Amino acid sequence: AGEDGRFELVNGVAYAMAGAKEGHNVIGSNVQTALVPAGKKSGCRTTSSDTGILTGPDSVRYPDVVVDCGPRNQGAATASMPTIIVEVSSPGTAVFDYGAKLREYQKLSSVEVVIQIESEIAFVQVHRRSGDEWTEETFESMEDVIDLPRISTKLALSEIYDTVDVSPRVRLQVVRNDHSSTM
């Protein structure tokens, strides 16, 4: 508090958060806009990256979009019951978003879904709680639709990436050399 810039608190250490590029911000806005109506109908609130998530006694993370289904508290700086968490990853943040942050979110009992969205390629990973286990789904086509039953809605990749130019994920191909040389 009182410092210029934005910070995340991780195990008691404040880390500066870099500013995001336009594509990242547009994706976050697209997701928030798509989830707000369904969240309201389900008694939840959908907020932006200024809503913190307490991931530990001395850790606060700031995902790009949060669906909070806990009691309303207009003065709160953190979500009381984060249910759906959305992280938009950039090349420089992906290693953190897919590693430590994901594990921290998955430890929270209220979190049912973590959506990780790549900002420069059409690639979305959805992590869902199923009892005590987590499953993972991958979506890469603009025709793909992500089901979000907690707030009775669906989120299409075409909505996520609306007005953002992204490329398909590069696929590596295995090339076999069947030519053997004999001596």
Side-chain angles (χ1 to χ4, degrees):
E3 293 292 323
D4 288 338
R6 297 182 38 147
F7 298 86
E8 281 190 327
L9 186 64
V10 182
N11 297 320
V13 178
Y15 290 91
M17 296 172 62
K21 293 181 181 177
E22 180 180 295
H24 180 114
N25 292 331
V26 170
I27 291 167
S29 178
N30 288 346
V31 171
Q32 184 176 358
T33 300
L35 299 184
V36 164
K40 284 181 184 180
K41 287 180 185 174
S42 299
C44 304
R45 288 147 330 280
T46 304
T47 62
S48 68
S49 60
D50 286 333
T51 300
I53 303 291
L54 291 171
T55 60
D58 53 1
S59 295
V60 180
R61 298 291 194 164
Y62 290 90
D64 294 288
V65 178
V66 178
V67 177
D68 183 2
C69 297
R72 294 178 184 179
N73 178 353
Q74 287 182 229
T78 58
S80 62
M81 195 168 135
T83 305
I84 299 171
I85 295 176
V86 179
E87 284 283 359
V88 180
S89 296
S90 302
T93 65
V95 67
F96 302 107
D97 294 343
Y98 287 91
K101 273 188 176 182
L102 175 61
R103 288 188 300 276
E104 289 175 38
Y105 294 148
Q106 289 176 327
K107 288 180 182 177
L108 301 175
S109 61
S110 66
V111 175
E112 297 175 15
V113 177
V114 178
I115 301 172
Q116 296 174 307
I117 302 170
E118 289 293 325
S119 62
E120 296 183 4
I121 60 172
F123 185 79
V124 178
Q125 282 190 325
V126 177
H127 306 269
R128 295 179 193 277
R129 183 183 306 274
S130 178
D132 291 336
E133 301 294 318
W134 284 87
T135 61
E136 181 181 298
E137 301 167 272
T138 299
F139 301 88
E140 300 181 62
S141 168
M142 290 299 170
E143 290 77 36
D144 286 345
V145 176
I146 301 163
D147 189 29
L148 297 170
R150 174 62 175 89
I151 57 172
S152 303
T153 197
K154 297 178 185 304
L155 180 62
L157 263 66
S158 60
E159 288 176 288
I160 292 171
Y161 292 111
D162 187 34
T163 73
V164 178
D165 294 325
V166 290
S167 304
R169 183 166 62 134
V170 175
R171 298 271 186 201
L172 298 177
Q173 295 180 346
V174 176
V175 178
R176 279 185 44 187
N177 182 354
D178 288 337
H179 306 287
S180 3
S181 59
T182 57
M183 297 198 169

CSV table of all heavy atoms in Angstrom, one decimal, residues 3 11 18 24 28 36 42 47 60 64 82 104 106-107 110 115 144 147 158:
chain,number,residue,atom,x,y,z
A,3,GLU,N,2.6,2.4,-2.4
A,3,GLU,CA,3.7,2.4,-3.4
A,3,GLU,C,3.1,2.6,-4.8
A,3,GLU,O,2.0,2.2,-5.1
A,3,GLU,CB,4.4,1.0,-3.4
A,3,GLU,CG,5.2,0.7,-2.1
A,3,GLU,CD,6.4,1.6,-2.0
A,3,GLU,OE1,7.0,1.9,-3.0
A,3,GLU,OE2,6.7,2.0,-0.9
A,11,ASN,N,4.6,-15.4,-0.4
A,11,ASN,CA,5.4,-15.8,0.8
A,11,ASN,C,6.1,-14.6,1.5
A,11,ASN,O,7.2,-14.7,1.9
A,11,ASN,CB,6.4,-16.8,0.4
A,11,ASN,CG,5.8,-18.1,-0.1
A,11,ASN,OD1,4.8,-18.5,0.4
A,11,ASN,ND2,6.4,-18.7,-1.2
A,18,ALA,N,4.4,-6.5,-14.0
A,18,ALA,CA,4.6,-5.7,-15.3
A,18,ALA,C,3.3,-5.3,-15.9
A,18,ALA,O,2.3,-6.0,-15.7
A,18,ALA,CB,5.5,-6.5,-16.3
A,24,HIS,N,-3.4,-8.7,-24.2
A,24,HIS,CA,-3.7,-9.3,-22.9
A,24,HIS,C,-4.9,-8.6,-22.3
A,24,HIS,O,-5.8,-9.2,-21.7
A,24,HIS,CB,-2.4,-9.1,-22.1
A,24,HIS,CG,-2.5,-9.6,-20.7
A,24,HIS,ND1,-1.7,-10.6,-20.2
A,24,HIS,CD2,-3.2,-9.2,-19.6
A,24,HIS,CE1,-2.0,-10.9,-19.0
A,24,HIS,NE2,-2.9,-10.0,-18.6
A,28,GLY,N,-8.7,-10.1,-21.3
A,28,GLY,CA,-9.2,-10.1,-20.0
A,28,GLY,C,-10.6,-9.4,-20.0
A,28,GLY,O,-11.5,-9.8,-19.3
A,36,VAL,N,-19.9,-11.6,-16.7
A,36,VAL,CA,-20.6,-10.8,-15.8
A,36,VAL,C,-22.1,-11.2,-15.7
A,36,VAL,O,-22.6,-11.4,-14.6
A,36,VAL,CB,-20.4,-9.3,-16.1
A,36,VAL,CG1,-21.5,-8.5,-15.4
A,36,VAL,CG2,-19.1,-8.8,-15.6
A,42,SER,N,-26.2,-16.1,-11.1
A,42,SER,CA,-25.9,-17.1,-10.2
A,42,SER,C,-25.5,-16.6,-8.8
A,42,SER,O,-25.1,-17.4,-7.9
A,42,SER,CB,-24.7,-17.9,-10.7
A,42,SER,OG,-25.0,-18.5,-11.9
A,47,THR,N,-15.1,-9.9,-11.3
A,47,THR,CA,-14.3,-8.7,-11.1
A,47,THR,C,-13.0,-8.8,-12.0
A,47,THR,O,-12.7,-9.9,-12.5
A,47,THR,CB,-14.0,-8.4,-9.7
A,47,THR,OG1,-13.2,-9.6,-9.2
A,47,THR,CG2,-15.2,-8.3,-8.8
A,60,VAL,N,-0.8,-13.0,-1.8
A,60,VAL,CA,-2.0,-12.4,-2.4
A,60,VAL,C,-1.7,-12.4,-3.9
A,60,VAL,O,-0.7,-11.7,-4.3
A,60,VAL,CB,-2.3,-11.0,-1.9
A,60,VAL,CG1,-3.6,-10.5,-2.7
A,60,VAL,CG2,-2.6,-11.0,-0.4
A,64,ASP,N,-6.4,-12.2,-13.7
A,64,ASP,CA,-7.0,-11.2,-14.6
A,64,ASP,C,-8.5,-11.1,-14.4
A,64,ASP,O,-9.1,-10.0,-14.6
A,64,ASP,CB,-6.7,-11.6,-16.1
A,64,ASP,CG,-5.2,-11.4,-16.3
A,64,ASP,OD1,-4.7,-10.3,-16.3
A,64,ASP,OD2,-4.5,-12.4,-16.3
A,82,PRO,N,-13.5,-17.1,-4.1
A,82,PRO,CA,-13.2,-17.2,-5.6
A,82,PRO,C,-13.5,-18.6,-6.1
A,82,PRO,O,-13.2,-19.6,-5.5
A,82,PRO,CB,-11.7,-17.0,-5.6
A,82,PRO,CG,-11.2,-17.3,-4.3
A,82,PRO,CD,-12.3,-17.0,-3.3
A,104,GLU,N,-1.2,-22.8,-6.2
A,104,GLU,CA,-1.8,-22.0,-5.1
A,104,GLU,C,-3.3,-21.9,-5.3
A,104,GLU,O,-4.0,-22.1,-4.3
A,104,GLU,CB,-1.1,-20.6,-5.1
A,104,GLU,CG,0.3,-20.6,-4.6
A,104,GLU,CD,0.9,-19.2,-4.7
A,104,GLU,OE1,0.2,-18.2,-4.5
A,104,GLU,OE2,2.1,-19.1,-5.1
A,106,GLN,N,-5.2,-24.0,-6.8
A,106,GLN,CA,-5.9,-25.3,-6.7
A,106,GLN,C,-5.9,-25.7,-5.2
A,106,GLN,O,-6.7,-26.6,-4.9
A,106,GLN,CB,-5.1,-26.3,-7.5
A,106,GLN,CG,-5.3,-26.2,-9.0
A,106,GLN,CD,-4.4,-27.1,-9.8
A,106,GLN,OE1,-3.3,-27.5,-9.4
A,106,GLN,NE2,-5.0,-27.5,-11.0
A,107,LYS,N,-5.2,-25.1,-4.3
A,107,LYS,CA,-5.2,-25.5,-2.9
A,107,LYS,C,-6.4,-24.8,-2.2
A,107,LYS,O,-6.8,-25.2,-1.1
A,107,LYS,CB,-3.9,-25.0,-2.2
A,107,LYS,CG,-2.7,-25.9,-2.6
A,107,LYS,CD,-1.5,-25.4,-1.9
A,107,LYS,CE,-0.3,-26.3,-2.3
A,107,LYS,NZ,0.9,-25.8,-1.6
A,110,SER,N,-12.5,-23.2,-2.3
A,110,SER,CA,-13.7,-22.6,-3.1
A,110,SER,C,-13.4,-22.6,-4.6
A,110,SER,O,-14.4,-22.5,-5.4
A,110,SER,CB,-13.9,-21.2,-2.6
A,110,SER,OG,-12.8,-20.3,-2.9
A,115,ILE,N,-8.9,-21.1,-15.4
A,115,ILE,CA,-8.8,-21.0,-16.9
A,115,ILE,C,-7.5,-20.2,-17.2
A,115,ILE,O,-7.3,-19.1,-16.7
A,115,ILE,CB,-10.0,-20.2,-17.5
A,115,ILE,CG1,-11.3,-21.0,-17.2
A,115,ILE,CG2,-9.8,-20.1,-19.0
A,115,ILE,CD1,-12.5,-20.2,-17.6
A,144,ASP,N,-14.4,-23.9,-30.4
A,144,ASP,CA,-14.4,-24.6,-29.1
A,144,ASP,C,-15.2,-23.7,-28.1
A,144,ASP,O,-15.1,-22.5,-28.1
A,144,ASP,CB,-13.0,-24.8,-28.5
A,144,ASP,CG,-12.3,-26.0,-29.2
A,144,ASP,OD1,-13.0,-26.7,-30.0
A,144,ASP,OD2,-11.1,-26.1,-29.1
A,147,ASP,N,-17.5,-25.1,-21.1
A,147,ASP,CA,-18.7,-25.1,-20.2
A,147,ASP,C,-18.4,-24.7,-18.8
A,147,ASP,O,-17.4,-25.2,-18.2
A,147,ASP,CB,-19.2,-26.6,-20.2
A,147,ASP,CG,-20.6,-26.7,-19.5
A,147,ASP,OD1,-21.4,-25.7,-19.6
A,147,ASP,OD2,-20.9,-27.7,-19.0
A,158,SER,N,-14.0,-17.9,-29.5
A,158,SER,CA,-14.3,-16.8,-30.4
A,158,SER,C,-14.6,-15.5,-29.5
A,158,SER,O,-14.3,-14.4,-29.9
A,158,SER,CB,-15.4,-17.1,-31.4
A,158,SER,OG,-16.6,-17.4,-30.7
